[in-house]
Amino acid sequence: MSEQTSQHETEWPLWEVFIRARGGLDHRHCGSLRAPDSEMALMNARDAYTRRGEGHSIWVVKATNIVASNPDDKGSFYDPADDKVYRHPSFYQLPDEVDHM
Amino acid sequence: MTSATEEARFQAHIDAEGKIEPKDWMPEAYRKSLVRQISQHAHSEYVGMLPESNWLRRAPTLRRKAALMAKIQDEAGHGLYLYSAAETLGTSRDEMYRDLLSGKAKYSSIFNYPTLTWADIGAVGWLVDGAAITNQVPLCRCSYGPYARAMVRVCKEESFHQRQGFQIMLGMAHGSPQQKAMAQDALNRWWWPSIAMFGPPDGESKHSAQSMAWKIKRHSNDELRQRFIDMTIPQADFLGLRIPDDDLKFNEETGHYDIGPIDWDDFWAVVNGEGQCNTDRLAARQKAHDEGAWVREAATAYAAKRAARKAAERIAAE
């Protein structure tokens, strides 16, 4: 393990790259890269992921700063929402006379 | 849960066209197989820059030079996407480079052939990129999410590569008799290696059956090879060039072209290190890695200096 860790430590940190394709849209995850710091990560992201005008706004986030849910919890983590059908518009029956709402 | 039930659940998920993401449970063999295939694919992009860069400084016009430069930059980008995808499986980038440079990891054998004339740049774009696209399009639907997504980006960018190559062939095939002869010569040398790029025939391909069951691969080697042949022959006809195969003929019954026998001995010899450029390619990558060491060190030192300066400013401000 220690050998593995020290070898990984010499590698530059991993950055996740998010790009906004045009104004009005969300930033979307498009890939990742390695860079020694945030500014170089941003420049590398521009060179690697926007060679053809794919976007005009880039976020880079250090991968270690991302907190992710655990895929094994797939069921239990989301089940509070499972029995709340009344959150969906289809739960509400409308009279025929009122067809657009 | 026992690993047998996990494995059954995993296979059922794949059979239902489900995708696998990095943190999902997966059989060790699936992980290993993907690391092998994706890193090999990444290495191919990375080594694939070499035969093309051979003609970069001798491109006939500035426009062709700029286009070739853009294509080579794309190959570097594709390598990056693929190394990133492989990293999600828990292998480090340093490890992958090490395996490439030591010769332990393979890359596509096609890059062990030399690019002798400018027409080779046309043939490489038209045939080698054409074959690569045929291989890569179905990979956009492969079961491993990060690999599939990387392939979507690669395929989008790759189609310019093939057109760029075909345009060079078109110019030469319709040019002076010497130019046409150069185009024919390039086709003669690149045709069979491009056909062999799809790998050994279905019966002899050692990873195929399992990869198909895992939906890493969607079509067999022979199926993809045939698709490429059927697509390319009319293009060669349009160029007025002759495919170097005396047995080639259209089969009315199957609706496909039949080709002569492929020289698999040559293919395996090149895979196993006896190609014209195997030694050169690895030496060039090793040289680039060694000579780039100071750049990597300087970037690391610069980042450390900047971080220290920022920390000092923060303390001064407090």
Side-chain angles (χ1 to χ4, degrees):
Chain A
M1 183 67 205
S2 64
E3 193 186 310
Q4 192 75 348
T5 312
S6 64
Q7 184 218 319
H8 277 266
E9 273 167 5
T10 61
E11 282 189 351
W12 291 337
L14 187 67
W15 302 81
E16 296 298 334
V17 181
F18 299 82
I19 289 179
R20 186 204 295 282
R22 14 186 191 91
L25 297 181
D26 291 322
H27 283 76
R28 263 186 80 173
H29 182 246
C30 70
S32 56
L33 51 82
R34 288 189 178 272
D37 71 5
S38 55
E39 286 168 61
M40 285 185 256
L42 210 48
M43 283 193 288
N44 291 352
R46 176 203 57 193
D47 293 342
Y49 291 104
T50 63
R51 291 197 300 282
R52 292 178 174 82
E54 285 89 341
H56 301 282
S57 170
I58 305 176
W59 292 347
V60 289
V61 181
K62 224 183 221 180
T64 48
N65 287 343
I66 292 178
V67 182
S69 61
N70 184 345
D72 296 337
D73 299 342
K74 221 175 266 169
S76 61
F77 193 66
Y78 301 100
D79 72 8
D82 286 350
D83 56 356
K84 298 181 177 59
V85 284
Y86 44 84
R87 285 177 172 169
H88 299 279
S90 52
F91 177 74
Y92 301 89
Q93 292 292 327
L94 287 179
D96 289 345
E97 291 80 357
V98 186
D99 55 350
H100 294 293
M101 182 181 278
Chain B
M1 211 178 326
T2 67
S3 72
T5 25
E6 293 243 50
E7 196 147 350
R9 214 170 56 152
F10 172 87
Q11 190 60 53
H13 181 66
I14 284 181
D15 291 343
E17 294 297 326
K19 298 287 174 191
I20 305 300
E21 293 297 335
K23 286 183 156 185
D24 293 338
W25 186 89
M26 60 185 88
E28 245 349 272
Y30 177 81
R31 184 186 301 276
K32 250 182 95 178
S33 183
L34 275 171
V35 168
R36 182 185 51 77
Q37 181 171 336
I38 303 174
S39 64
Q40 205 168 303
H41 198 160
H43 298 327
S44 301
E45 300 283 353
Y46 185 45
V47 174
M49 294 192 284
L50 295 170
E52 303 195 310
S53 62
N54 182 33
W55 281 91
L56 191 55
R57 282 180 293 181
R58 291 175 285 172
T61 69
L62 196 54
R63 194 189 65 72
R64 292 208 191 271
K65 181 176 184 169
L68 184 58
M69 185 72 214
K71 183 173 181 238
I72 295 169
Q73 283 177 317
D74 276 353
E75 312 292 8
H78 298 172
L80 170 82
Y81 306 157
L82 287 157
Y83 283 122
S84 295
E87 274 189 281
T88 63
L89 292 156
T91 176
S92 84
R93 202 167 297 198
D94 284 351
E95 245 171 282
M96 289 186 271
Y97 283 151
R98 225 183 14 241
D99 287 349
L100 169 70
L101 295 178
S102 73
K104 185 180 158 202
K106 297 269 186 260
Y107 53 87
S108 179
S109 249
I110 194 83
F111 302 118
N112 289 323
Y113 293 87
T115 42
L116 300 180
T117 74
W118 172 252
D120 287 43
I121 298 302
V124 165
W126 172 39
L127 300 173
V128 176
D129 286 297
I133 294 169
T134 310
N135 252 327
Q136 286 167 346
V137 167
L139 286 172
C140 296
R141 295 187 299 119
C142 109
S143 62
Y144 188 58
Y147 192 25
R149 291 191 287 274
M151 278 300 108
V152 171
R153 277 197 300 278
V154 168
C155 287
K156 252 190 219 163
E157 300 180 352
E158 197 94 36
S159 63
F160 124 69
H161 296 185
Q162 196 188 8
R163 288 178 184 208
Q164 177 258 3
F166 190 73
Q167 202 189 41
I168 293 174
M169 292 305 274
L170 202 57
M172 297 191 85
H174 295 164
S176 67
Q178 290 95 322
Q179 287 173 323
K180 187 168 181 182
M182 272 167 81
Q184 181 63 58
D185 171 59
L187 172 58
N188 291 350
R189 284 179 290 106
W190 287 94
W191 173 254
W192 288 108
S194 303
I195 297 296
M197 263 176 84
F198 294 91
D202 292 349
E204 293 161 36
S205 175
K206 70 177 173 180
H207 302 291
S208 268
Q210 183 59 72
S211 287
M212 299 270 280
W214 279 331
K215 302 201 177 180
I216 296 172
K217 252 178 115 143
R218 293 281 179 163
H219 307 280
S220 76
N221 294 354
D222 287 333
E223 242 176 283
L224 291 169
R225 188 179 355 260
Q226 189 64 52
R227 188 177 296 179
F228 172 72
I229 291 167
D230 291 342
M231 220 159 42
T232 308
I233 288 168
Q235 296 165 359
D237 290 344
F238 182 82
L239 291 172
L241 298 178
R242 186 189 161 273
I243 300 277
D245 180 355
D246 292 334
D247 299 322
L248 180 76
K249 59 176 183 305
F250 187 73
N251 185 327
E252 296 286 350
E253 227 165 272
T254 61
H256 297 290
Y257 286 92
D258 293 337
I259 61 165
I262 298 172
D263 182 357
W264 291 110
D265 291 341
D266 177 66
F267 173 80
W268 287 115
V270 179
V271 169
N272 292 321
E274 290 163 41
Q276 284 186 60
C277 300
N278 297 53
T279 313
D280 283 359
R281 298 300 184 226
L282 278 191
R285 287 290 59 141
Q286 183 68 56
K287 183 165 176 270
H289 194 68
D290 295 345
E291 292 180 354
W294 75 268
V295 180
R296 295 191 294 276
E297 281 159 25
T300 307
Y302 182 59
K305 195 172 101 182
R306 206 148 48 174
R309 194 182 302 148
K310 264 193 196 148
E313 278 168 13
R314 215 171 22 241
I315 291 166
E318 274 166 9

